[in-house]
Amino acid sequence: LADPQSTFDLVVEHMRDTTKLETTSALLEWDDHTYLPSGGGAYRAEQVTFLSGLIHQRRTTKQLGTWLEELATSELAAQRETPVGAAIAGWLRDYRRQVRLPQALVEAIARATSLGQQAWVAARSADRWSDFLPHLREIINLRRQEAQLLSDDGQLYDALLDQYEEGARTAEITSMFAELRDELVKLLKELKDASSKPSGQSWRYAIPLPEQRQASRWIASQIGYDFERGRLDETAHPFCTTLGPNDCRILTRYHEDNFPSGFYSTLHEAGHGLYEQGLPIDWFGLPPGAAASLGVHESQSRLWENFVGRSAPFWRWCFPQLKQRFGTAWNELDAMQLFRDANLVQPSLVRVEADEVTYNLHILIRFELEQELINGDLKVEDAPQAWNDRYERYLGIKPQTDRDGILQDVHWSAGLIGYFPTYTLGNLYAAQLMDAMRADLGNVDDLLENGNFDGLLQWLRDKIHVHGRCLPPDQLIRRTTGRAISAQPLVAYLRQKLEVAYSMV
Ligand SMILES: [Zn+2]
C-alpha cells in the first residue's frame, strides 16, 4: 500500500497540470474580452469547449478518485487545519461535485455560454432581447440539469450557489437580505428627504482618456497592485483573471465624461488583484493557494473601492494628487466635495454604476429572478417584464429599454447563475472586516489620509489572503471578525458615512 504522502504528491502533480489547462482556457477568455476579432468567435467557442472537456476528464478520472479515497481516510486528511488537510478536503469536495456531471453536459454548458456571451454582446448593443432569448433559454435549461444532478434535497438554487460560496444556503441569505433591504429602503427615504445633498457636480468635467489611464495605473500601484505580476487592460465589462502564479490581470473601462466609472472600476478590480497576488504562491493551483470564495473575493474588491476609495480621508489624500494631474479642470473643487459626490445615493437602472445603498437592491432583484428561472416558476420569455416590474417595486424606476434592463449584465450569458448574491455577501463581509481592521490597527483614517495603504494591505494579507481556501468563507469571516455574518455592520457603516456626506449631522 502506498504511503499517504506519496499519494498526496501524485494528486498535487495531477492538479498542477490540470491548472495549466484551466489557466490556458482563462487566457483564451481574457483574449476573447480584449483583442479577439469578432470573426474569431466561433472557433474560440470550439477551443474553450474542447479544453473544458479535457479539464473535466482530468478532474474526474477513476485514478484521481482512488487516490482521493485513500487520502480521505489517511492521517493527512485528519489535519483539517493544515494546508495539506485543507487541500484534501477541497479536492474531495470538488471531485464529488464534478463526478456527478457527465462530460457531454459540461461541454454543452461551455459551448452554450461561449456562444451565449457573444450573442449577448450583439443583442445588447442592438437592444434586441429576442436575439438573446434562445441562448438564455438553453443556458437556464442546462444549468437546471446541472443543479438537478448536484442536488440531494431538491433545492436547485442551493446547488448552484454552493459552487460560488461554499456552504451558503438560499434560505439564510433570503432572511439576511430581507433585513438589509428593509434597512436600506428606510435609509433611502431619509436621504431623499435630507436638506443638503451631494450635487454630483465634481464629475461634470470631461477628463481625457490618456489622463484617466495614467490615474488608474497610479491608484492601482498606490494601493499595492504589483505590475511586475499583473497588467491593466481595457474591456467592455471589467474583471480580474489569474493566468499564473505571477500573472494576475485586471481590466477596466473609461468614459471621457464619467471619470468615477473608470477610476472606481480600477480600484475594484485592483482589490481583486491584490487578493490574487497575496495568495500563497507555493500552493498555486491547489486549494490552499486559491481564493476562499467569490463572496470573500468581492469583500476585497469592495473594501478598496468603497470602504477605502469613497471615504473622506481617502479623498483628502487623493484630491490634491489628482488635481495636479488634471490641472485646471479640478481647480474649483475641494476634497470634501469629491467625497460627497462619490457618495451620492440615487436609484438608477444600471447595477455597475449604482451607489453603495441601492447596489444591494439591484442584487436582490437578480437573486429573486434567478431562483424563479431555475425552479421553473418564471418562463425565460417573461423575464424582461418580471425584471422591469421588480425595478419599479424596489427602486421606483422602470427601464425603458432591455439594454438598461435585463440585457445589462454579462453573467447569465456566461452561465453564472447563483453568482449575484456573492456581491452582497462581499459587501457584508467587507463591513465586518473593516470594523475588525479598525479595532486592530486603531488609526486607519490617519493611514488613509496619508495615502499609506501598506498597513491595510498587510492586515488583509495576514487575516484573509494567506489562508487561501483552507477555511469555508463563513468560518474565515467569523474567525477574523469575531462575529457571525449579519446585515448590521454594513448598515451601520453606510448610515455613519452618509450622515456626513449628506450633512445630516
Ligand atoms: Zn468584483
Side-chain angles (χ1 to χ4, degrees):
L1 208 74
D3 76 297
Q5 189 57 52
S6 344
T7 307
F8 183 85
D9 294 342
L10 287 169
V11 177
V12 165
E13 200 187 327
H14 181 86
M15 292 300 184
R16 286 199 197 273
D17 283 345
T18 307
T19 300
K20 289 169 194 159
L21 287 174
E22 288 167 343
T23 47
T24 302
S25 184
L27 174 58
L28 291 179
E29 279 163 35
W30 175 85
D31 175 68
D32 202 344
H33 288 276
T34 49
Y35 298 113
L36 183 76
S38 59
Y43 188 69
R44 178 56 44 86
E46 291 314 308
Q47 289 174 308
V48 298
T49 301
F50 181 69
L51 275 175
S52 79
L54 283 183
I55 292 164
H56 185 69
Q57 278 171 20
R58 291 189 58 88
R59 282 175 179 164
T60 55
T61 58
K62 281 224 167 62
Q63 177 64 76
L64 178 61
T66 311
W67 286 334
L68 290 177
E69 268 166 44
E70 270 176 53
L71 287 175
T73 53
S74 73
E75 73 269 21
L76 292 180
Q79 308 159 15
R80 185 65 185 84
E81 296 278 311
T82 68
V84 169
I88 296 170
W91 290 333
L92 277 164
R93 186 180 129 81
D94 296 343
Y95 180 80
R96 285 170 184 157
R97 178 184 176 93
Q98 292 289 331
V99 83
R100 290 180 174 208
L101 305 177
Q103 185 171 336
L105 178 63
V106 172
E107 289 180 356
I109 291 174
R111 184 177 290 112
T113 54
S114 188
L115 295 172
Q117 288 178 74
Q118 293 163 16
W120 167 77
V121 170
R124 181 171 182 268
S125 95
D127 192 21
R128 257 204 315 269
W129 156 256
S130 56
D131 290 357
F132 181 53
L133 171 62
H135 290 273
L136 185 58
R137 200 182 272 140
E138 167 80 353
I139 288 165
I140 296 283
N141 185 23
L142 291 168
R143 290 286 274 154
R144 184 186 300 123
Q145 287 176 43
E146 181 186 340
Q148 283 162 344
L149 291 165
L150 292 172
S151 174
D152 290 319
D153 58 7
Q155 301 295 319
L156 299 185
Y157 193 76
D158 274 352
L160 299 180
L161 182 62
D162 185 67
Q163 175 182 5
Y164 307 114
E165 199 67 14
E166 180 182 345
R169 292 287 169 269
T170 311
E172 285 170 33
I173 291 184
T174 303
S175 70
M176 205 151 54
F177 282 15
E179 187 191 345
L180 182 63
R181 179 196 59 211
D182 293 347
E183 293 284 352
L184 295 181
V185 168
K186 199 158 63 181
L187 179 57
L188 205 52
K189 198 181 169 309
E190 288 171 45
L191 297 175
K192 208 175 148 194
D193 299 339
S195 54
S196 164
K197 295 173 195 171
S199 65
Q201 286 292 303
S202 306
W203 316 129
R204 70 186 178 276
Y205 300 103
I207 308 285
L209 296 188
E211 290 180 19
Q212 291 200 34
R213 289 190 184 104
Q214 281 176 13
S216 268
R217 283 186 70 86
W218 169 75
I219 193 63
S221 44
Q222 287 294 310
I223 64 169
Y225 180 78
D226 181 356
F227 278 95
E228 299 286 312
R229 301 173 60 213
R231 45 180 294 136
L232 172 61
D233 291 275
E234 289 168 46
T235 189
H237 303 276
F239 65 101
C240 166
T241 184
T242 290
L243 308 178
N246 293 300
D247 185 358
C248 163
R249 304 188 184 187
I250 55 176
L251 299 99
T252 191
R253 64 171 165 203
Y254 305 107
H255 303 289
E256 202 167 78
D257 55 1
N258 190 350
F259 169 73
S261 172
F263 186 74
Y264 282 114
S265 281
T266 302
L267 260 180
H268 180 97
E269 300 307 332
H272 282 302
L274 289 177
Y275 186 18
E276 290 288 317
Q277 291 184 337
L279 293 168
I281 291 184
D282 293 348
W283 290 96
F284 183 76
L286 311 169
S293 73
L294 285 184
V296 174
H297 229 304
E298 198 64 12
S299 75
Q300 303 302 294
S301 56
R302 300 274 154 180
L303 192 143
W304 290 103
E305 177 196 358
N306 295 331
F307 292 73
V308 170
R310 292 183 203 272
S311 70
F314 172 84
W315 274 111
R316 280 197 287 274
W317 165 76
C318 189
F319 171 70
Q321 314 258 352
L322 286 182
K323 191 169 91 170
Q324 219 164 30
R325 289 168 176 271
F326 299 159
T328 48
W330 280 26
N331 269 349
E332 55 200 272
L333 303 176
D334 61 58
M336 189 61 186
Q337 191 177 349
L338 267 297
F339 158 69
R340 295 187 71 201
D341 286 345
N343 289 287
L344 175 62
V345 174
Q346 207 163 41
S348 64
L349 294 171
V350 178
R351 175 186 61 89
V352 294
E353 306 291 344
D355 58 79
E356 287 179 84
V357 174
T358 58
Y359 187 90
N360 299 294
L361 300 172
H362 289 261
I363 295 303
L364 186 68
I365 290 170
R366 288 152 179 78
F367 175 55
E368 292 179 356
L369 293 178
E370 284 185 336
Q371 292 176 61
E372 293 174 17
L373 286 167
I374 284 297
N375 293 331
D377 300 331
L378 173 65
K379 290 205 189 87
V380 180
E381 56 265 37
D382 297 333
Q385 188 60 46
W387 179 288
N388 295 349
D389 290 348
R390 231 160 286 217
Y391 264 79
E392 195 153 38
R393 193 181 331 150
Y394 288 155
L395 287 155
I397 47 176
K398 197 164 186 163
Q400 297 304 310
T401 63
D402 289 326
R403 191 210 303 253
D404 286 339
I406 195 167
L407 285 176
Q408 68 179 263
D409 293 311
V410 65
H411 300 65
W412 292 348
S413 74
L416 301 172
I417 319 273
Y419 186 116
F420 279 119
T422 67
Y423 289 134
T424 286
L425 287 175
N427 287 331
L428 299 176
Y429 298 166
Q432 295 193 197
L433 288 173
M434 206 65 200
D435 284 349
M437 186 198 285
R438 284 184 188 283
D440 278 358
L441 298 181
N443 60 342
V444 168
D445 283 351
D446 293 344
L447 294 174
L448 294 179
E449 190 151 353
N450 289 303
N452 181 353
F453 304 107
D454 294 354
L456 280 73
L457 180 57
Q458 197 52 52
W459 191 89
L460 292 169
R461 292 253 189 270
D462 295 344
K463 302 288 179 178
I464 301 290
H465 303 182
V466 75
H467 299 294
R469 209 185 129 197
C470 288
L471 290 170
D474 174 72
Q475 270 186 49
L476 178 65
I477 300 297
R478 270 171 201 258
R479 184 181 287 198
T480 305
T481 67
R483 55 184 296 182
I485 320 290
S486 88
Q488 284 316 313
L490 179 63
V491 172
Y493 148 77
L494 286 172
R495 217 164 239 297
Q496 197 178 19
K497 182 168 71 161
L498 293 170
E499 276 172 2
V500 179
Y502 275 69
S503 313
M504 298 201 304
V505 285

